[in-house]
Amino acid sequence: MKRFFNVIILVVFVFALVSCATKKWTNVSGNVNLETLMQERFSKLYPSYKSGEIVVTKIEERIDENGKTQYRITYTDKSDDDDWDAFIWQTIYMPVLND
């Protein structure tokens, strides 16, 4: 009887893990047309993407309970950080290399 109870607990546990895995986000960065996705699904971010203010670093998808595909993107904001990096390089790193 104890073995039967353990098997039932194991089966319930496996079903619980499988149901959690169906809600998981899957990385699809290389398989999606980014231009179309940004234009159709992320219309508020599209002008910033088109002008180069943001750079999309990751695209993920999942299927919701209604069977529709949901997308989630990760992006970085291109700001004046490049100028800061150049300033740090010229004022700190280059003088240390010359010593």
Side-chain angles (χ1 to χ4, degrees):
M1 186 67 174
K2 187 174 182 177
R3 186 173 288 190
F4 180 71
F5 182 71
N6 287 341
V7 170
I8 295 226
I9 295 296
L10 180 66
V11 169
V12 168
F13 183 71
V14 168
F15 278 118
L17 284 177
V18 170
S19 68
C20 291
T22 59
K23 301 293 184 186
K24 189 174 158 185
W25 291 94
T26 307
N27 188 358
V28 291
S29 294
N31 303 331
V32 175
N33 183 353
L34 182 58
E35 184 80 22
T36 305
L37 179 69
M38 290 297 292
Q39 195 170 17
E40 292 175 358
R41 300 281 180 113
F42 301 98
S43 57
K44 291 183 180 180
L45 290 175
Y46 183 69
S48 299
Y49 167 74
K50 194 68 174 166
S51 67
E53 294 174 23
I54 62 171
V55 176
V56 176
T57 56
K58 186 188 224 182
I59 306 168
E60 296 172 310
E61 73 175 4
R62 75 173 183 178
I63 308 297
D64 66 1
E65 53 275 347
N66 297 329
K68 293 184 179 181
T69 304
Q70 293 181 337
Y71 289 96
R72 175 171 70 178
I73 63 168
T74 305
Y75 63 90
T76 57
D77 188 17
K78 273 186 88 175
S79 60
D80 294 332
D81 289 341
D82 294 336
D83 294 338
W84 177 252
D85 291 339
F87 174 74
I88 294 292
W89 177 256
Q90 292 172 358
T91 57
I92 296 175
Y93 297 124
M94 285 178 67
V96 171
L97 292 174
N98 290 331
D99 288 338

